[in-house]
Amino acid sequence: MNDTNYFSHLYGIASHLNKEFSLHSTLRKSLEMTAEMLEVETAWFWLTEPDNKSVYLAASHNLPPALSNHPERLSGWCYCIKQYLSDDMDEAMNISEISCSRLKDISAGTKGLKFHAVIPIIVNGQKVGLMNLLSEETRQLDEKELTILNTVSELIGTAIQRTRLQHSHYSKNNHVTTPISGILERVFLPKIEALIACLDTENSSKKNLQEAMERATDLKKQLSLLHQETAEQKEAPRKENAFHYPELPLTKRELEVITLIKQGLTNDQIGKRLFITERTVKFHVSAILSKLNAENRTEAVDISLKRGFLGI
């Protein structure tokens, strides 16, 4: 690829990132466009956790079956993550396929991926994340290609910083993006609406009043449970110029529930295992879906595995 094509791709990436407001979309499109620019098949993106001692998989592009069907293989440490977190990597570099534990010892479903490169994302001296590129062709990126990737790294880092600051500003001014607000919206508001319907004057029969009492009692229990599990959680003070990293969203009880969901247990079976009612299990499941922004139980398990919440 000549210089004109490289700069054309860089302009395309910069132009797109400048329009993005969603962090996930920013990362996903960055992977897609970078992979296209260097003509590689697969890419994924790690974001750094708040402690700067671990990362989690935040986005991926065209994963082979060996990884897409086994997300647990993309959890845990590998050579490039270790190098990055130990301050031994501050610019794009080639990684030998022998050194990468994601590729080693997998015999099927890899689509023959061999070539492996890593691009660290560092903004204002802070570790933000890193991108991995993979291809069937065994080759080494030359100096010009590595320089281009370092430029891409700066573009992505700036875009991540901007989207996080925008998200933080929106959260501060709208008060609707905290885990608690999600639970209130998806769990408690429907319960309150059902309670109001039972107490409607046109339907205030003895049967409806009894049902309303049961719903009110249940609502009180769930609110007490929510209060107990959040009372001890104190938000750590943040510096104004610090990155706003995603927090570990699940409580100890919710981690127990999602672990049993991963094992294939039903709500009734989970309740018996944890000595809680099935109704309480349903509340925990709803809270888990809200906190992880998952559509269903399977997606919640997948997200938990990729974030490293669950043991393999």
Side-chain angles (χ1 to χ4, degrees):
M1 182 181 294
N2 58 40
D3 290 344
T4 302
N5 286 335
Y6 269 125
F7 287 119
S8 176
H9 277 284
L10 279 178
Y11 175 79
I13 293 175
S15 178
H16 178 82
L17 294 181
N18 190 49
K19 300 174 183 177
E20 280 296 338
F21 294 94
S22 163
L23 179 58
H24 177 74
S25 181
T26 295
L27 298 179
R28 181 184 57 79
K29 196 63 179 179
S30 299
L31 292 175
E32 180 182 337
M33 298 181 75
T34 304
E36 179 183 356
M37 179 177 66
L38 290 176
E39 298 180 343
V40 299
E41 285 80 15
T42 299
W44 56 71
F45 205 108
W46 308 93
L47 280 181
T48 314
E49 292 283 15
D51 58 6
N52 274 339
K53 296 180 180 179
S54 60
V55 298
Y56 68 92
L57 186 70
S60 61
H61 168 68
N62 195 30
L63 291 178
L67 298 179
S68 61
N69 296 336
H70 299 276
E72 69 275 7
R73 289 174 175 169
L74 283 169
S75 64
W77 284 58
C78 66
Y79 174 79
C80 57
I81 292 176
K82 181 179 179 181
Q83 293 293 105
Y84 175 67
L85 295 179
S86 60
D87 298 322
D88 290 331
M89 180 190 301
D90 56 8
E91 59 183 17
M93 61 184 295
N94 295 291
I95 302 292
S96 167
E97 61 269 19
I98 299 175
S99 301
C100 181
S101 60
R102 311 294 173 190
L103 303 175
K104 192 168 59 176
D105 301 328
I106 300 179
S107 58
T110 65
K111 291 186 176 181
L113 294 175
K114 296 179 180 179
F115 167 69
H116 190 86
V118 60
I119 304 94
I121 313 295
I122 301 173
V123 178
N124 296 329
Q126 292 186 344
K127 298 185 183 71
V128 178
L130 63 160
M131 180 193 301
N132 286 131
L133 301 174
L134 296 93
S135 172
E136 295 180 11
E137 180 185 358
T138 299
R139 64 188 177 98
Q140 296 285 296
L141 295 178
D142 59 32
E143 184 176 349
K144 182 176 72 173
E145 290 171 322
L146 292 173
T147 300
I148 291 291
L149 285 180
N150 286 326
T151 303
V152 171
S153 169
E154 294 181 9
L155 292 174
I156 295 175
T158 301
I160 292 174
Q161 184 180 42
R162 188 188 69 252
T163 55
R164 280 175 166 166
L165 289 174
Q166 288 169 337
H167 178 76
S168 174
H169 176 76
Y170 181 82
S171 300
K172 181 179 180 180
N173 289 280
N174 293 275
H175 310 291
V176 295
T177 56
T178 63
I180 295 298
S181 66
I183 297 173
L184 291 174
E185 180 179 354
R186 295 179 59 173
V187 180
F188 289 111
L189 287 183
K191 289 178 178 290
I192 294 173
E193 290 172 358
L195 177 59
I196 292 173
C198 288
L199 294 173
D200 188 274
T201 55
E202 297 180 0
N203 301 304
S204 57
S205 65
K206 183 176 181 180
K207 180 179 179 180
N208 285 339
L209 289 174
Q210 182 178 358
E211 181 181 353
M213 179 61 71
E214 293 176 355
R215 290 180 180 275
T217 302
D218 175 60
L219 185 60
K220 180 181 178 181
K221 290 181 179 178
Q222 302 299 350
L223 285 169
S224 297
L225 179 62
L226 179 64
H227 174 72
Q228 291 173 5
E229 294 195 341
T230 58
E232 297 181 358
Q233 295 181 3
K234 298 181 179 178
E235 183 177 0
R238 294 171 174 172
K239 298 180 180 179
E240 288 298 322
N241 61 348
F243 278 93
H244 298 280
Y245 295 92
E247 300 172 355
L248 176 65
L250 304 183
T251 65
K252 180 180 179 180
R253 176 64 83 183
E254 288 163 357
L255 286 173
E256 292 174 340
V257 171
I258 192 66
T259 298
L260 295 177
I261 290 176
K262 175 177 176 284
Q263 296 175 13
L265 273 63
T266 64
N267 287 346
D268 180 59
Q269 292 171 327
I270 293 173
K272 292 177 180 177
R273 181 75 65 87
L274 299 178
F275 302 102
I276 56 179
T277 66
E278 184 176 359
R279 181 175 293 178
T280 300
V281 174
K282 290 180 180 179
F283 164 73
H284 284 306
V285 173
S286 296
I288 290 169
L289 295 180
S290 292
K291 290 180 177 183
L292 298 182
N293 195 26
E295 294 295 329
N296 51 56
R297 296 157 71 99
T298 301
E299 186 176 348
V301 171
D302 183 50
I303 293 172
S304 297
L305 283 169
K306 290 177 180 178
R307 291 287 308 271
F309 299 159
L310 302 176
I312 299 175

